[in-house]
Amino acid sequence: HAIPLSMVVSQMAMHQFARLFLELRERWPLGDKISLAFIWCYAAIGIASLWVDYRLSVQLGTYGVFPGVLALLFQTFRAIRQGYRPARLFLAAWTMLLLGTAMYASVSFGLLPKNFITEYGIQIGSAMEMILLSFALAYRYANLRSENELIVREANEQLERNVSRRTAELSTALEQLADANSRLRESNRRDVLTGLFN
């Protein structure tokens, strides 16, 4: 049971990571729903693998990989086209993993000769993916920090403008009050009609 379950859990994790990293909920809600549909589909395959024949469950899990990967690639290309820069590193990272996997599979089918790179293609691709995703996460973190700093700076500037405006309003109100007090003091000292001192 461990092999089909690990296949579907890895696919579910891959789609969940892509959803969050590519910010699909905000940037492309339909793409987010597509990833959620894949996650639920993989979950169903995982649950079914507990009762279905091993060979069938592995085939279902394997067949589910191809449309899932194509959906992720499409979502990534769409994010790149929308100008989301971290998606480029995300694409490079997944390309490394897919390339390593393809090299390993090509050795299994006799398409490539067996050597260190092709035999350990998955591990090399996975290591490159981790490195590139680390850079992508760092880049994304730096962008988020810059956006937060910009928001804080704009909020501070807005606050300063509001304080200046309120200070000006208060100063005007104090001047009017002082003027009113002055008039009141004068009207207490002189009669309004005759102008004589009270």
Side-chain angles (χ1 to χ4, degrees):
H1 297 296
I3 293 175
L5 282 175
S6 64
M7 288 173 65
V8 296
V9 167
S10 67
Q11 293 300 311
M12 291 168 67
M14 181 171 69
H15 279 275
Q16 182 63 19
F17 180 80
R19 285 180 64 228
L20 296 175
F21 187 85
L22 296 174
E23 299 175 351
L24 292 178
R25 186 180 296 164
E26 296 84 20
R27 295 178 178 280
W28 190 34
L30 176 61
D32 186 58
K33 289 177 183 169
I34 291 170
S35 277
L36 282 173
F38 274 107
I39 289 170
W40 284 108
C41 182
Y42 294 133
I45 292 170
I47 292 169
S49 71
L50 298 173
W51 293 280
V52 176
D53 178 53
Y54 168 76
R55 182 182 174 105
L56 178 61
S57 62
V58 168
Q59 283 179 337
L60 286 174
T62 305
Y63 291 143
V65 169
F66 295 109
V69 167
L70 289 175
L72 281 176
L73 288 174
F74 182 77
Q75 291 166 344
T76 306
F77 282 122
R78 191 172 195 284
I80 291 170
R81 206 172 74 229
Q82 288 179 335
Y84 186 56
R85 298 190 67 182
R88 293 178 184 175
L89 284 170
F90 182 81
L91 177 63
W94 285 112
T95 301
M96 289 293 123
L97 179 64
L98 294 174
L99 186 62
T101 306
M103 284 194 308
Y104 180 77
S106 297
V107 170
S108 301
F109 292 114
L111 300 173
L112 288 176
K114 188 174 183 177
N115 59 38
F116 179 80
I117 293 175
T118 56
E119 186 173 352
Y120 295 103
I122 293 176
Q123 290 85 349
I124 294 169
S126 180
M128 293 299 296
E129 175 197 28
M130 292 293 226
I131 291 168
L132 289 171
L133 283 178
S134 297
F135 284 125
L137 286 171
Y139 182 80
R140 186 167 179 257
Y141 175 75
N143 279 350
L144 288 173
R145 191 176 64 208
S146 296
E147 288 175 14
N148 283 342
E149 289 172 356
L150 179 65
I151 289 169
V152 168
R153 189 168 51 247
E154 287 176 353
N156 284 339
E157 289 172 0
Q158 180 67 31
L159 182 63
E160 287 175 9
R161 284 193 296 271
N162 286 343
V163 167
S164 296
R165 186 170 45 87
R166 295 285 184 193
T167 302
E169 289 172 0
L170 184 59
S171 177
T172 303
L174 287 174
E175 287 174 8
Q176 291 172 349
L177 184 60
D179 186 45
N181 278 337
S182 173
R183 283 196 313 269
L184 185 61
R185 201 175 315 117
E186 186 64 27
S187 68
N188 281 338
R189 288 184 358 196
R190 292 182 179 267
D191 182 59
V192 178
L193 294 174
T194 63
L196 298 173
F197 286 105
N198 289 333

